[in-house]
Structures are given as structure tokens and as C-alpha cells.
Amino acid sequence: MTLTLTTAGESHGPALVAIVAGLPAGLVLDRNAIDADLGRRQQGYGRSPRQQIEQDRVEVLAGLRHGRTLGTPLALVVGNADHKNWAWGMSPWPPEGEPRGKGKEPVTLPRPGHADLAGAMKYGLDDIRDALERASARHTAVIVAAGAVAKALLAAIGVSLEGRVVTEDLERRIDEARADRDTVGGVVEVRARGVPPGLGSYATKEERLDARVAATLVGTQAVKGVEIGEGFALAGLRGSEAHDEILRDEGGYHRETNRAGGIEAGVSNGEEIVVRAAMKPLPTLMKPLRSADLETGEAAEALVERSDVAAVEALAVVAEACVAFELARAAREKFGGDALEDFVAAHRAYVERIPWSPR
Ligand SMILES: Cc1cc2nc3c(=O)[nH]c(=O)nc-3n(C[C@H](O)[C@H](O)[C@H](O)COP(=O)(O)O)c2cc1C
């Protein structure tokens, strides 16, 4: 059994939905911990006023009873409080009455760097909103909720994660960009401690932990590069400088350096997992770039819509959730257990068998 995550939801639709299947029964979930992560995603320097409209809270529709998982699919919902302003424009059914509120005018000015033009051509759209609503990173809210669930599962086997921004001087860059009606990106890092050796596999690309971690991050909006451990810098080093020598003491095998970022041959090696993601500057600019009107073909400026100047701090939280989900999935594959007790017992027996201990 593995863990799967399916999401649905548009940026200004009624709600975002996630279904997490494959969780063991008996895992205690803390609503406040999930909401705290949702709140962390909404904070951060450079975010738009939308974050004050929304105060994300998780609702659970299935898979949980009295705070414990049932071993059945867990259905998570995060409502879009802003939907009330888009009730006509984003009505799931043909809307009744006169066009009103936000989203009633079709969007025809594609933004460079967003889903707008590719989406319009791919689906033959007259209104770019049909593409941008799902492409928007708003749905990372429900990914963060699923990540919080994954973190609860990982905590049961002593694994903890932390996502943070590593770009220096971000606030100054954001202030300068805002003054110029521009946007910025940055770099975030996720570290996971307590990950035992042996998660993932070198057997196939699909099972490789490095591939899975990279895919989940690069599959997140605005992420254009991923580094595991020293990543790109390794290419300029000699082998003797690049690899982490193997040492052994009473605690088992360990390394003094961690340039591999805790993954070798697609398998966790017992060191801290260290992964970085590079985020491009956000595509919606208050001083728009050149574009062409979808309807007329005439040169025009790209769409200006309420938007963040930067969302790097939010990405750190999203990236933490994404990596947590992949690690939880790999742990579920390694340790099985449809009941939490069995999952934890399998982990304990494995760690007792191997010459390794968390440091
Ligand atoms: C947490 C987060 C918040 C974002 N907020 C915005 C935003 O306010 N405005 C915007 O233009 N892009 C924003 N983006 C980025 C776009 O969603 C993204 O650039 C776009 O969907 C195109 O996809 P791509 O950058 O992966 O190619 C955000 C991304 C993340 C991860």
C-alpha cells in the first residue's frame, strides 16, 4: 500500500479539496496543527491582501472519527472565503441573473510566465480564467493541509521537517520590487531529520527518492530548479571533495559531511535530507509586460490582477509539505502497516536490525 494525494479546486471556486488515501488507521490528527500550517502558508513578507480575506481552516469530510484516522480515504476541504465575491463569475453551474461581482469579464490578456497563453491555446479558450484559476498556487493550501497529515505520520517514527527561506536580504528585495511594481523570487530549503536509511529505491526511476522529491517540488507553481544536497556545486568538485566518507561508531554508520543531502542512489542514507528549490519571480506584474490580446491579436499589456510581490516564505511552507508527503509515502511503502501500531512496530524492528541510529 502506498499513500496517494488527489486534489481539486480553483483559486476562486467554492473550495479546495484533497483526498489522502492509504493512511494507516489510528493516527491522531491535530486540527490546530493543520490550521497552524495553513496560517504559516498565508503569512510572509510580500503577499497580497487576499491573505487577509482568507483565514484558511481545514474541514474534514471523511476518513476521521474523533480525531483518529479510520484507515479509509481522508477528505480534506479548505474553503475559499473570497468565493462570495466571485459567486457569479466562478459559479460551478450556469449562473443566474445579471453578470455581477468579480470574474464576470473574460480575461483576454495573457501574462508572460503564467498558464494563460498555453492554457488558452491548449483548450481553445476565449476566457483565460478557465486556465489561470487552477494553475494558480491557491490550491497549495490544500497541499499544505495534506502535508500536515503526512508530518503527523512521520512524527510517529521520529521524523521531523523544517522548510525555510535561504535567500538573503529578501525583505529589501521585496520592498524595492514593490516600489517598482515588480516581483521577485528566491530560494527555499527543506530539511528532514530522523529519516532512516532505506526509503526509496534505486530499482526504478519512479521509486527513487531523489526523483520523487524533485518532482513534487518542480511540480509546484513557480519552482524552476531543485537541488539535493550540494546539487549544482557538486559538478565543479572532484570526487574526493564531493562524497561523504563513511564512518562507523557505537551509534552505527554515519557521515561527517552531507553533500549528498541524505540521498544516495535514490535511497535515503540516514543523514539529514536537504533539498532546495528555486522560485522564479511571480508572473503577475503591476507594471505589466508586453502581450497580445487573445480576442483581437493586437499588441497589449498583460493582465493586472491582485497578486503577491513575492511568495517565497509561503513556498517554504508548501515545499515542507510536499517533501513531507513524499517521505511519508516512501515510509508507508517501506513499513507497511494498515494500523499505525504495525507501521511503528515495523519501523522499530527495522531500526533495531540495521547499524544506524538517528543523531
Ligand atoms: C505560494 C505561491 C504563491 C503564488 N502567488 C502568485 C501570485 O500571487 N501571483 C502570480 O502571478 N503568481 C503566483 N505564484 C506563481 C504562479 O502560480 C506560477 O508562476 C504560474 O502558475 C505558472 O506556473 P510556473 O511558474 O510553474 O511555470 C505563486 C506560487 C506559489 C508557490
Side-chain angles (χ1 to χ4, degrees):
M1 188 38 152
T2 187
L3 212 56
T4 61
L5 170 61
T6 306
T7 70
E10 278 72 42
S11 181
H12 301 100
L16 306 154
V17 181
I19 295 185
V20 181
L23 285 169
L27 176 67
V28 173
L29 298 182
D30 175 358
R31 186 179 200 163
N32 293 332
I34 302 175
D35 286 344
D37 275 356
L38 290 173
R40 284 170 66 214
R41 192 199 73 93
Q42 292 190 281
Q43 287 154 19
Y45 207 66
R47 303 225 63 199
S48 83
R50 173 159 192 189
Q51 307 312 325
Q52 283 129 41
I53 300 173
E54 309 277 2
Q55 278 232 318
D56 290 340
R57 297 270 182 272
V58 74
E59 292 298 330
V60 177
L61 296 189
L64 198 67
R65 180 159 184 254
H66 300 172
R68 290 159 72 91
T69 56
L70 296 171
T72 56
L74 180 74
L76 305 171
V77 175
V78 177
N80 285 326
D82 200 16
H83 178 66
K84 62 179 183 297
N85 301 312
W86 298 74
W88 192 95
M90 286 302 295
S91 168
W93 297 106
E96 290 174 3
E98 286 303 301
R100 61 192 177 280
K102 295 188 176 171
K104 63 180 193 290
E105 307 291 349
V107 177
T108 61
L109 303 170
R111 291 161 297 175
H114 219 298
D116 305 359
L117 183 58
M121 290 197 283
K122 177 175 167 66
Y123 295 111
L125 306 178
D126 301 325
D127 183 355
I128 289 168
R129 184 154 303 284
D130 284 357
L132 69 86
E133 280 285 328
R134 176 63 179 167
S136 153
R138 167 71 190 149
H139 102 273
T140 57
V142 89
I143 288 173
V144 166
V149 172
K151 284 196 292 180
L153 182 61
L154 290 169
I157 55 167
V159 175
S160 62
L161 289 98
E162 191 195 352
R164 66 185 184 103
V165 174
V166 292
T167 300
E168 287 170 10
D169 218 3
L170 185 64
E171 292 199 4
R172 183 185 59 78
R173 288 177 61 227
I174 291 173
D175 287 341
E176 287 174 4
R178 184 184 281 112
D180 294 338
R181 293 184 293 148
D182 216 327
T183 59
V184 290
V187 177
V188 303
E189 180 178 89
V190 180
R191 288 175 176 260
R193 288 172 199 272
V195 179
L199 299 194
S201 171
Y202 40 76
T204 62
K205 279 191 185 188
E206 290 71 28
E207 290 167 276
R208 286 185 69 110
L209 193 62
D210 49 1
R212 290 157 67 158
V213 162
T216 187
L217 291 175
V218 92
T220 299
Q221 287 86 346
V223 172
K224 294 297 143 188
V226 174
E227 269 194 331
I228 295 174
E230 293 299 314
F232 276 69
L234 291 174
L237 300 178
R238 289 187 165 196
S240 56
E241 304 163 322
H243 300 298
D244 306 308
E245 290 182 303
I246 297 171
L247 306 176
R248 185 160 174 178
D249 61 19
E250 63 285 354
Y253 290 111
H254 65 101
R255 317 292 174 104
E256 269 176 356
T257 56
N258 186 21
R259 300 174 191 119
I263 305 177
E264 288 169 312
V267 185
S268 61
N269 66 6
E271 299 300 309
E272 199 175 35
I273 306 265
V274 184
V275 51
R276 277 181 288 277
M279 184 183 211
K280 75 182 188 184
L282 305 178
T284 311
L285 306 184
M286 295 304 122
K287 194 168 64 183
L289 296 174
R290 284 186 299 171
S291 183
D293 192 303
L294 202 61
E295 207 175 14
T296 63
E298 301 287 313
E301 288 184 338
L303 170 72
V304 179
E305 185 164 280
R306 181 186 58 201
S307 182
D308 302 333
V309 177
V312 190
E313 288 177 81
L315 178 66
V317 180
V318 175
E320 179 187 295
C322 290
V323 173
F325 199 87
E326 279 313 312
L327 292 179
R329 196 155 74 87
R332 182 79 168 88
E333 287 160 16
K334 177 89 179 91
F335 303 120
D338 48 13
L340 184 71
E341 234 180 304
D342 299 335
F343 173 78
V344 170
H347 168 267
R348 193 183 308 119
Y350 172 67
V351 171
E352 276 167 19
R353 172 172 76 72
I354 57 170
W356 174 85
S357 51
R359 292 174 192 249

